[in-house]
Amino acid sequence: MELIYFATAFVCGFGIYQLKLPPLIGFLMAGFILNLAGYKSTELLETIASLGVTLLLFSIGLKLKIANLIKPQVWAPATIHIILSSALFSGFMLLLGVFALPLFVNLSWQSALLVGFALSFSSTVFAVKVLEERGEMASLHGKIAIGILVMQDIFAVIFLAVSTGKVPNIWALGLIVALPLFRPIMYWVLNRSKHGELLPLFGFFFALVAGYNAFEFAGLKGDLGALIIGMMFAPHKKAGELSKSLLSLKDILLVGFFLSIGLSAELTAHSLVVALILVLIIPIKTLLYYILTNLFKLRARTSLLTAFSLANFSEFGLIVCAVAASSGMVTSEWLAVIAIAVSITFVIASPLNKRSNELYVKIERLLLKFESKTRLAEELPVNLNDTKIVIFGMGRIGTGAYETINATHPDVVAGIDIKPEVVDKHIKRGRRVLIADATDPDFWQRVNHSHVEMVMLTMPKHMQNIFALEQLQASGYKGQVTAIANYPDQQKELEDMGIDSTYNFYLEAGSGFAEHVKQTLFP
């Protein structure tokens, strides 16, 4: 049965991808198509979906630092948004009940508040997938969005603990004491796991076995355990490599999650109509995110992209409604309503995020009128005076290019990266590296690149280089541009856009190695 499910998911995902939309929309469609054909979710599929979400939270933890959560621009918008949106959404539903609309008419104020609370959450799964595909997990708006989602997850865990009567037991105190003590041992095991097939198995074990079950045993939610264990590994130098090793496994398991949403819904005419009505409040939800993040000194673009990442309903809404349905606070039909509403908002938010930079450019003048005049340190203007060559993306390739150029032409090259920790590392080693986002249209408007003769795009994600090239061309840059690519079709896409030269990383790596050997043997 599961083979039929995943085969259908592939066909739908492939078809949607050909339309240049995220495959996850196809996976959701597959679930609803199978549902209409009479199929239902199975225990195995639910297990796969649960494992996918747990592994996702572990992966988020690997990229998350506690310092990011305690920033006012993270915890304050997250907290205020949940309070305001829960109140607004529940009031909206009670108002619809006055007009005797189906399902709404039977809602008490307590039930309406609970459903409003469920709708206040945004999808962690969706946001992470979108940010990963765009290569924006490390961007400021990506980190703000993930931080808000983690805060929401904490609220959800508290709610589930209270509503289900599942409170921490005495072992929770022991867990708090034990985790810091076991951390050196966990790091030792990670170091000894090296780089092969043992590394993803290490992540699988600590996320799904040790972390999940330890927290469940202590009376806490297992998913929270996976998240916290991931955060414990975040400072480790192999955290990035561990996250990449889990990427394919996590993506496959999450297909089960998207399928389960469509398969679990009880589709009726009433549930479809009510879901469509609830989707109408998404603009209000998105606007609240924008206003609240903007109030905490984020730039207009950062606030807008953060809001777009969160412009959906969440899978946690299904969990909250399932708990409410089991206690009789709402009817089981609300589960179908939330499932359909979640799916529709995914479909709407996918193209919205795909074209977020284009939309920002169109409404930039309007948004700038309400932008805070005070800038955060991460968003200060970049000075490129006396710079001839600029390298965007200071990973291994960018660093190698910087060192090679700087060896013969010092003081003419500068590096730019969106990760503060990467920038700090390079500055400590004496390199001229600045923090900025190359895909940010405002960056290209605020920077003076009249003296720059060459731009090198060495960012790891192909779409990052594409976006940066588009913004660079729109800013009127007249110098040379070169970029890396992993595959020939990516090279062709860049060349069709008018880039001066491309560098196929995998192909040229072999040529560079051969050149090194020739110089060694025949000096």
Side-chain angles (χ1 to χ4, degrees):
M1 190 71 70
E2 285 73 21
L3 292 177
I4 296 174
Y5 293 170
F6 279 89
T8 307
F10 171 76
V11 172
C12 293
F14 179 80
I16 287 294
Y17 188 67
Q18 304 315 302
L19 300 175
K20 296 186 177 180
L21 292 172
L24 66 87
I25 297 178
F27 304 152
L28 285 166
M29 286 177 55
F32 282 108
I33 291 170
L34 289 166
N35 192 331
L36 291 171
Y39 292 95
K40 294 297 177 185
S41 185
T42 64
E43 185 177 345
L44 177 57
L45 187 66
E46 292 296 329
T47 301
I48 292 172
S50 177
L51 291 175
V53 172
T54 304
L55 206 56
L56 172 72
L57 290 171
F58 178 73
S59 299
I60 293 172
L62 289 173
K63 300 175 183 178
L64 193 67
K65 295 179 175 62
I66 295 178
N68 292 332
L69 291 180
I70 61 176
K71 291 179 179 179
Q73 59 266 33
V74 174
W75 67 262
T79 305
I80 297 171
H81 188 277
I82 279 188
I83 296 171
L84 288 180
S85 57
S86 297
L88 285 173
F89 299 163
S90 58
F92 174 69
M93 287 183 285
L94 288 173
L95 180 62
L96 293 176
V98 173
F99 295 100
L101 290 179
L103 295 184
F104 294 110
V105 69
N106 296 322
L107 281 177
S108 64
W109 71 266
Q110 296 97 330
S111 300
L113 186 61
L114 192 146
V115 176
F117 178 69
L119 296 175
S120 70
F121 294 105
S122 296
S123 173
T124 302
V125 176
F126 178 88
V128 172
K129 289 292 292 178
V130 167
L131 291 168
E132 282 183 343
E133 287 172 4
R134 292 165 57 90
E136 295 177 352
M137 282 291 288
S139 66
L140 181 60
H141 68 267
K143 288 188 287 188
I144 295 291
I146 295 301
I148 289 174
L149 288 165
V150 171
M151 290 297 299
Q152 290 182 351
D153 290 346
I154 293 172
F155 280 109
V157 168
I158 294 172
F159 167 79
L160 292 173
V162 173
S163 60
T164 58
K166 187 175 183 179
V167 295
N169 55 43
I170 190 64
W171 293 105
L173 183 62
L175 191 63
I176 294 173
V177 175
L179 283 177
L181 297 177
F182 277 101
R183 188 173 182 174
I185 299 174
M186 293 158 63
Y187 275 29
W188 182 86
V189 177
L190 177 56
N191 288 327
R192 301 288 176 174
S193 297
K194 298 300 180 181
H195 312 285
E197 63 273 16
L198 199 58
L199 189 61
L201 192 59
F202 168 91
F204 196 89
F205 172 78
F206 274 94
L208 304 175
V209 181
Y212 188 96
N213 285 294
F215 273 66
E216 285 285 335
F217 183 73
L220 297 166
K221 199 167 186 298
D223 289 338
L224 179 65
L227 177 68
I228 291 176
I229 294 295
M231 291 173 67
M232 291 180 65
F233 284 117
H236 196 281
K237 61 183 180 180
K238 290 185 69 174
E241 183 184 354
L242 175 59
S243 178
K244 289 178 182 177
S245 71
L246 294 169
L247 188 61
S248 297
L249 176 61
K250 177 191 70 179
D251 286 346
I252 291 295
L253 293 175
L254 283 175
V255 173
F257 168 78
F258 292 117
L259 282 169
S260 68
I261 289 180
L263 284 164
S264 300
E266 294 181 17
L267 299 174
T268 64
H270 281 165
S271 60
L272 180 59
V273 171
V274 172
L276 289 171
I277 292 173
L278 292 180
V279 170
L280 296 176
I281 65 178
I282 279 294
I284 299 173
K285 182 175 185 175
T286 308
L287 182 62
L288 271 177
Y289 277 126
Y290 176 82
I291 292 173
L292 292 172
T293 51
N294 204 248
L295 284 174
F296 286 86
K297 302 178 182 179
L298 292 179
R299 281 176 40 236
R301 176 183 180 268
T302 307
S303 294
L304 188 70
L305 267 60
T306 300
F308 282 173
S309 299
L310 304 172
N312 50 63
F313 294 135
S314 171
E315 58 279 358
F316 266 118
L318 289 171
I319 299 172
V320 170
C321 279
V323 172
S326 65
S327 61
M329 292 190 69
V330 295
T331 62
S332 59
E333 205 168 356
W334 276 101
L335 283 174
V337 170
I338 300 297
I340 296 169
V342 168
S343 304
I344 293 172
T345 58
F346 280 13
V347 173
I348 294 172
S350 291
L352 184 68
N353 279 274
K354 189 177 181 65
R355 295 174 174 83
S356 55
N357 280 312
E358 299 172 30
L359 291 170
Y360 171 70
V361 171
K362 290 179 180 178
I363 59 176
E364 179 182 14
R365 290 186 180 181
L366 174 64
L367 296 179
L368 290 179
K369 293 178 181 179
F370 306 99
E371 187 180 63
S372 170
K373 302 300 179 184
T374 308
R375 293 275 70 80
L376 297 175
E378 297 97 320
E379 299 191 296
L380 291 173
V382 176
N383 183 5
L384 291 179
N385 293 339
D386 303 322
T387 302
K388 301 294 183 183
I389 302 172
V390 181
I391 302 171
F392 288 94
M394 288 298 290
R396 286 176 293 180
I397 301 174
T399 302
Y402 182 101
E403 287 295 300
T404 302
I405 296 169
N406 195 58
T408 54
H409 298 82
D411 304 324
V412 302
V413 61
I416 291 180
D417 203 281
I418 61 174
K419 299 179 182 178
E421 61 273 18
V422 171
V423 173
D424 291 341
K425 180 187 72 175
H426 285 301
I427 290 175
K428 289 177 182 177
R429 295 181 181 179
R431 301 183 184 116
R432 187 184 173 210
V433 180
L434 310 170
I435 183 168
D437 184 355
T439 65
D440 182 355
D442 283 353
F443 165 75
W444 296 105
Q445 292 179 8
R446 298 183 184 190
V447 68
N448 180 7
H449 51 55
S450 58
H451 299 292
V452 177
E453 298 177 2
M454 173 174 282
V455 169
M456 303 175 68
L457 303 175
T458 62
M459 290 172 285
K461 294 287 185 178
H462 177 61
M463 288 310 300
Q464 286 178 302
N465 293 324
I466 291 289
F467 290 146
L469 179 59
E470 289 174 344
Q471 298 304 323
L472 185 61
Q473 292 172 337
S475 70
Y477 177 71
K478 302 299 182 183
Q480 291 188 315
V481 185
T482 182
I484 64 167
N486 294 332
Y487 307 103
D489 63 317
Q490 294 179 347
Q491 285 183 284
K492 186 177 185 307
E493 184 176 4
L494 289 164
E495 290 164 0
D496 290 344
M497 292 179 66
I499 202 166
D500 294 286
S501 62
T502 59
Y503 179 93
N504 188 315
F505 174 68
Y506 293 122
L507 182 63
E508 300 292 343
S511 300
F513 182 51
E515 192 65 32
H516 169 73
V517 172
K518 282 165 56 179
Q519 291 178 2
T520 304
L521 292 176
F522 310 106

